[in-house]
Amino acid sequence: MERLDRFMARANAAYYATHDPFADFTTAPEIAQAFGEVLGAWAAITWQLMGRPSPFILAEAGPGRGTLMADAQRALARVAPDVVAAQRLILVETSPRLREVQAAALPHATHVDTIEAIPPGPLILLANEFLDALPIRQLVRRGAGWRERWVAGGTFIEQPSDLAAAAAAEGAVVEICESARAIATQLGARIAREGGAALVLDYGPAASAPGDSLQALRAGQRADPLADPGAADLTAHVDFAALAEAARSAGAATQGPEAQGLLLARLGLFQRTDRLARGLPPRQAAALLDAARRLAEPDQMGRLFKALAICHPCLPTLAGFET
Ligand code: SAH
């Protein structure tokens, strides 16, 4: 018998070490190159607002195939070469297989295992679909208290819990991601001390709400999260309100969460897509526009996905967070 968070950590470590996750799911940077390009532009604007520190750390957590950062680097080299000259590129990745793929895409980057291991200095950090893979605990409301879900033989078993949450209806499930909160606390403390901003993009509601969001994807299909650990990618909704609170308690400011679609539109996703489509055969141009819409339309990834910025309290409104 294993507590759910330990089961999920073990299953995902095995999964990322042995699978090409991108055979099972796709992510925004793999859908459209304009995604990484406009996030590169966001980093350049943030660097200006920070007072153009040189050197500074440009980091990405969980870079997958390295596509987002490679697209961002290409855009930066074109429109903001000062940023490229000042950056020290750091990738936070635990999977040896993905490290190899990332090193091929970004030969000038250095790998570290954890966010804590990022070298000191002013920081700009990007993280897309990183926190949703971190292990969660699930509490179940029983009577006037809470029980906790453990996993045994492919099913849940409820055990006494040392955690509690705000009162909820009988049987309601409340999720807690301690590692995501710890990361928000670390980032908040570091950014408050040394300056900078982190942009976290992931899926989840803007306000904390009860509900079981654990899901498994295997070969693009929903699968049973408890069956066959290591064979499927396990994720859960990110609790943005809890992250923002953790970062602020550590001394940082936060902006958002904002709907991904609004952020991307404000950063010029569609203008960039039009530019890329110019001169292409109509079918290819239409495919580019479709991809951009998939990222930004409210009924696709535009609303469920959110962006949260954790930043130094002295920074003004960051690009994309204007209300
Ligand atoms: N950001 C990428 C990939 C998302 S998949 C994209 O948008 O395409 C999640 C990524 O986080 C993978 O690179 C995975 O290996 C990495 N990862 C998962 N858990 C991690 C952990 N605890 N520490 C560091 N990296 C982790």
Side-chain angles (χ1 to χ4, degrees), residues 264-278:
L264 293 177
R266 289 173 183 153
L267 294 179
L269 181 81
F270 290 101
Q271 288 87 338
R272 179 63 190 149
T273 303
D274 284 344
R275 171 62 71 92
L276 290 168
R278 217 175 281 165

Side-chain angles (χ1 to χ4, degrees), residues 137-141 146-148 161 163-165 172-174 176:
R137 296 173 70 172
Q138 285 187 337
L139 306 184
V140 187
R141 184 73 173 177
W146 296 93
R147 311 257 302 160
E148 179 157 11
S161 182
L163 295 178
V173 173
V174 167
I176 295 165

Side-chain angles (χ1 to χ4, degrees), residues 16 22 27 29 60 62-64 92-95 98 128-130 134:
Y16 282 105
F22 299 95
T27 57
E60 185 181 356
V92 183
E93 178 61 65
T94 42
S95 157
L98 288 175
N128 184 59
E129 291 204 51
F130 171 64
L134 297 180

Side-chain angles (χ1 to χ4, degrees), residues 1 13 32 37 43 46 74 89 130 152 158 192 195-196 203 207 213 226 237 275 288-289 306 308:
M1 187 169 70
E37 291 174 343
T46 302
R74 206 181 42 251
L89 197 55
F130 171 64
E158 291 179 17
Y203 70 107
S213 73
L226 304 187
H237 283 182
R275 171 62 71 92
L288 285 189
L289 186 58
K306 308 282 187 315
L308 173 72

